[in-house]
Amino acid sequence: MNVQAIVKRIIKQLVRDKRSMALMLMAPIFVITLLWLVLDMDAYEPTIAVTDIPEHMSIALEDGDAEILEMTETGGKEALENETADAHIILEGETLHVTMEGSDSLATTAVQRIINQATEGINKQPFSLEIDFLHGSTDLNMFDHVGPVLIGFFVFFFTFIIGGVSFLRERTQGTLERLLATPLKRWQIVIGYLIGFGLFILLQSVLVTIYSVYVLGMYMEGAIIEVLIIALLLAVSALSLGTLLSAYAKNEFQMIQFIPIIIVPQVFFAGIFHVESVAWMEAIGKIMPLYYGGNALSEIMLRGGHLVDIWSDIAVLAAFSFVFILLNIFALKRHRAL
Amino acid sequence: MTYIELSDIQHYYKQEQVLRNVALEIPKGQLFGLLGPSGSGKTTLVKIMIGLLEPKKGEVLVNQVPMPSLEAMQHIGYMAQSDALYNELTARENLDFFASLYKMKKKDRSKRIEEVAAMVDLTKHLDKTVEHFSGGMKRRMSLAVALIHEPDLLILDEPTVGIDPVLRDSIWSDLKKLQQQGTTIVITTHVMDEAEKCNQLGLLRDGYIIAQGSPDELRKQSETSTLEAAFLYYGQQKSEV
């Protein structure tokens, strides 16, 4: 009953605070759309200046989606200087001499890829090549790859901030002390917060997931409901961590300072970047909730995994939340011994 | 019958001692005033009474129950020095929220909300959000929250700061009325003419109770004509000891 009163109050407060509501619901949609625009674009098509190369080579390059400019040797050099071409190819005797513009790594890689393809096509391979996919397809691009982790990140980030700041304000405006002057038990405050914000986070997760999958066409092999369950688990850990850390912030500004310390590093360990080769980085990742959340979401969305396949991630996320909640209840002892 | 009993209370924040050997007995139905300058330990003492703070040494009994006790808190109304209200909510929603924390039934809640709102003269503003309230209205709102569950013990920490004289007068007459109904009231203040209205006073300085008694007794014993002079007299005596 007490928990219910707190849940009701939090919902009322959030509904009144239109801007925070909009931040929670619309900001993830906005940011994920921007990321989609950037990451879901077709591969970069480089412009290559060529001088005296054989006809079939030129055709092979064009087949590799490069724009070919026939030029003289000096013309090619000028094109590189003026950045109108990404590379300049000259045939010198038996050698293909390639000069890269070189300041844009993306363009350089694209040119290299196209030249490799073109030369391979010319020197016929002894085997024919056929590629099958266990998961995904050739269409799986960067946006699909980072998508699941992004969904996890948004849930974690916004829950951490809004939950943490709300709890902080409860303390600084004196209402926390006032609450504790009633017969309310400490755990009832913590659980009330979890449920109250949990409802909004569920709404946020549904919105972000549905939008990403059905509007932006993010790759999705698994079940939406399972994605939501993981998102909610992740949110509980974010909320309990946010409210816990708010005890160590004097004001909203100090709460914001936790973002670069707590939130941003998690992105680096959550599976967007491959850190397996650096042992210590992987070890650090394992103490972060987003590592498990990101892993679980990728498993469901990219590889069609089910909850049983990722039970260990679920168990760790639940353990994080459980520990944070207990610490939260304990931290409230500072305000009332009982 | 003694309602609040404090024995040998000592409290420190870090190294700094804020309460030293405080002992008090407040009978049921009394209007007890804690008078002292800011920094004298009034708020700390009040928080110990309601069980928000546990003293480093000593014992607190409220209605024979050792504090802190959730059961005892059910019967205590508390008005903090700063207004602890939810600004996004209306006055009615604030009151309803606190009422439900005291496990009041829904029907009793809405009736009681009207009663306390009338008492602090906020009936017209019940459905306004608190962020639009003036400072004085917020003070009255805080008092209404403290009264919402008809507590047996009312603890008010500087309740009349920022309230205009007319309203202050009406709040005092409300407090007197509550007292007649049997409510025990503890009030902290640093305003002498308010102290004058209390049955009993405890003079607090630097964490000591330097004197205790009714306003008349305190004046008589110190052979002074005003409470202010009496306070200075007892303060001097203490520092000589």
Side-chain angles (χ1 to χ4, degrees):
Chain A
M1 165 124 176
N2 279 338
V3 174
Q4 195 194 332
I6 293 179
V7 172
K8 220 170 98 185
R9 194 208 82 214
I10 288 173
I11 292 176
K12 265 191 204 146
Q13 276 179 299
L14 269 177
V15 170
R16 294 275 158 78
D17 188 355
K18 296 276 186 298
R19 239 177 87 169
S20 299
M21 272 277 277
L23 177 75
M24 249 178 117
L25 299 180
M26 296 320 293
I29 300 272
F30 175 65
V31 178
I32 211 157
T33 308
L34 286 180
L35 278 165
W36 170 76
L37 285 171
V38 173
L39 296 178
D40 206 37
M41 278 189 299
D42 291 330
Y44 179 71
E45 292 175 4
T47 308
I48 302 175
V50 296
T51 311
D52 305 333
I53 65 165
E55 179 78 27
H56 67 277
M57 182 71 194
S58 182
I59 292 169
L61 289 174
E62 259 179 333
D63 286 345
D65 280 337
E67 197 185 327
I68 302 299
L69 303 173
E70 297 270 3
M71 284 182 169
T72 61
E73 195 175 337
T74 41
K77 273 186 186 144
E78 268 172 37
L80 286 187
E81 293 279 351
N82 302 334
E83 294 177 44
T84 47
D86 296 305
H88 180 208
I89 306 178
I90 315 178
L91 188 68
E92 291 171 340
E94 283 296 290
T95 317
L96 270 182
H97 190 99
V98 183
T99 311
M100 296 282 188
E101 196 276 325
S103 67
D104 183 346
S105 67
L106 194 72
T108 307
T109 342
V111 171
Q112 260 169 349
R113 181 174 51 82
I114 287 169
I115 292 177
N116 282 342
Q117 275 173 5
T119 46
E120 267 168 26
I122 293 162
N123 316 318
K124 275 282 175 238
Q125 286 181 341
F127 302 106
S128 66
L129 191 64
E130 205 182 292
I131 302 172
D132 285 324
F133 288 87
L134 180 60
H135 300 292
S137 70
T138 37
D139 291 338
L140 203 66
N141 60 18
M142 190 68 183
F143 179 68
D144 298 302
H145 170 64
V146 301
V149 178
L150 282 179
I151 291 180
F153 171 71
F154 285 133
V155 168
F156 199 91
F157 178 78
F158 289 107
T159 316
F160 180 88
I161 286 302
I162 301 218
V165 169
S166 302
F167 207 70
L168 174 90
R169 273 173 45 196
E170 188 100 58
R171 201 180 82 231
T172 52
Q173 73 189 2
T175 44
L176 180 63
E177 186 187 87
R178 188 61 191 76
L179 286 184
L180 288 169
T182 73
L184 194 62
K185 294 183 181 71
R186 280 180 283 127
W187 66 263
Q188 290 173 326
I189 300 181
V190 177
I191 299 300
Y193 257 77
L194 282 181
I195 299 176
F197 278 97
L199 292 173
F200 278 92
I201 291 150
L202 196 62
L203 188 65
Q204 185 204 46
S205 313
V206 170
L207 217 64
V208 175
T209 313
I210 301 253
Y211 179 79
S212 305
V213 172
Y214 292 107
V215 179
L216 300 183
M218 188 185 279
Y219 188 79
M220 172 72 163
E221 226 177 73
I224 293 264
I225 183 79
E226 288 176 322
V227 170
L228 293 181
I229 290 171
I230 300 296
L232 200 62
L233 260 172
L234 200 54
V236 172
S237 71
L239 184 68
S240 46
L241 182 63
T243 51
L244 180 64
L245 288 179
S246 78
Y248 302 96
K250 285 201 185 81
N251 49 46
E252 278 94 338
F253 182 50
Q254 289 196 347
M255 194 68 212
I256 301 300
Q257 290 162 7
F258 283 123
I259 296 176
I261 298 171
I262 305 289
I263 306 285
V264 175
Q266 297 209 49
V267 178
F268 289 89
F269 298 100
I272 293 183
F273 304 101
H274 291 279
V275 294
E276 291 90 341
S277 51
V278 189
W280 64 268
M281 278 188 89
E282 221 202 346
I284 292 178
K286 289 194 171 155
I287 58 165
M288 300 183 165
L290 201 54
Y291 172 88
Y292 299 94
N295 196 28
L297 289 170
S298 299
E299 192 65 36
I300 296 171
M301 294 183 68
L302 296 180
R303 290 183 282 277
H306 292 289
L307 294 181
V308 283
D309 306 320
I310 44 172
W311 66 270
S312 62
D313 291 319
I314 295 176
V316 177
L317 277 181
F320 268 120
S321 306
F322 185 69
V323 171
F324 292 152
I325 291 170
L326 282 188
L327 287 174
N328 246 311
I329 296 172
F330 187 78
L332 283 176
K333 262 187 178 252
R334 288 212 309 200
H335 302 281
R336 187 181 73 190
L338 198 63
Chain B
M1 196 185 108
T2 309
Y3 198 77
I4 305 178
E5 198 179 335
L6 303 176
S7 43
D8 191 28
I9 301 290
Q10 298 201 29
H11 197 72
Y12 320 78
Y13 290 121
K14 304 245 167 72
Q15 288 303 310
E16 202 190 342
Q17 188 157 15
V18 281
L19 290 176
R20 307 158 203 261
N21 307 320
V22 172
L24 275 180
E25 278 187 22
I26 301 171
K28 190 169 168 54
Q30 192 171 67
L31 207 171
F32 185 89
L34 269 173
L35 183 66
S38 52
S40 58
K42 296 187 301 272
T43 298
T44 306
L45 189 56
V46 156
K47 282 186 185 172
I48 285 172
M49 281 184 197
I50 58 176
L52 268 178
L53 273 180
E54 227 175 339
K56 295 277 148 56
K57 262 181 88 180
E59 205 189 16
V60 187
L61 295 177
V62 172
N63 203 12
Q64 264 94 55
V65 182
M67 294 301 278
S69 145
L70 293 183
E71 170 51 32
M73 281 177 169
Q74 174 71 33
H75 306 288
I76 302 176
Y78 171 54
M79 177 175 169
Q81 207 164 27
S82 61
D83 299 303
L85 301 165
Y86 296 100
N87 285 325
E88 303 89 345
L89 303 185
T90 64
R92 191 189 300 279
E93 286 165 342
N94 267 286
L95 288 168
D96 192 65
F97 170 64
F98 283 104
S100 50
L101 293 187
Y102 289 105
K103 300 191 178 66
M104 288 171 71
K105 296 216 171 54
K106 200 172 171 93
K107 213 176 67 194
D108 302 337
R109 288 207 302 257
S110 42
K111 193 169 143 257
R112 183 65 185 160
I113 287 171
E114 297 293 338
E115 276 173 28
V116 290
M119 215 182 267
V120 297
D121 199 18
L122 282 176
T123 309
K124 272 189 300 193
H125 308 287
L126 263 179
D127 292 305
K128 274 189 200 156
T129 51
V130 174
E131 58 193 339
H132 297 116
F133 276 23
S134 69
M137 284 161 83
K138 284 186 185 170
R139 265 344 257 150
R140 278 139 66 193
M141 219 358 242
S142 297
L143 180 62
V145 170
L147 294 173
I148 190 77
H149 58 298
E150 301 182 68
D152 299 328
L153 171 61
L154 194 55
I155 295 192
L156 311 170
D157 199 358
E158 310 244 1
T160 53
V161 173
I163 292 188
D164 66 86
V166 181
L167 192 74
R168 184 187 300 199
D169 218 48
S170 93
I171 285 179
W172 270 98
S173 67
D174 284 333
L175 292 182
K176 292 276 183 199
K177 232 181 279 167
L178 286 166
Q179 191 194 1
Q180 275 158 22
Q181 291 160 19
T183 310
T184 311
I185 302 171
V186 176
I187 189 167
T188 74
T189 181
H190 58 253
V191 185
M192 298 297 164
D193 66 326
E194 284 197 350
E196 206 71 68
K197 295 172 183 156
C198 299
N199 303 133
Q200 284 273 317
L201 283 174
L203 306 192
L204 199 63
R205 219 189 78 162
D206 298 332
Y208 289 103
I209 296 274
I210 52 174
Q212 208 182 325
S214 71
D216 279 336
E217 282 166 11
L218 290 173
R219 269 192 300 263
K220 212 172 280 172
Q221 277 169 21
S222 61
E223 292 165 349
T224 50
S225 55
T226 63
L227 265 180
E228 199 153 354
F231 194 94
L232 291 172
Y233 168 82
Y234 288 113
Q236 236 160 23
Q237 243 192 355
K238 191 77 196 176
S239 41
E240 276 162 20
V241 172

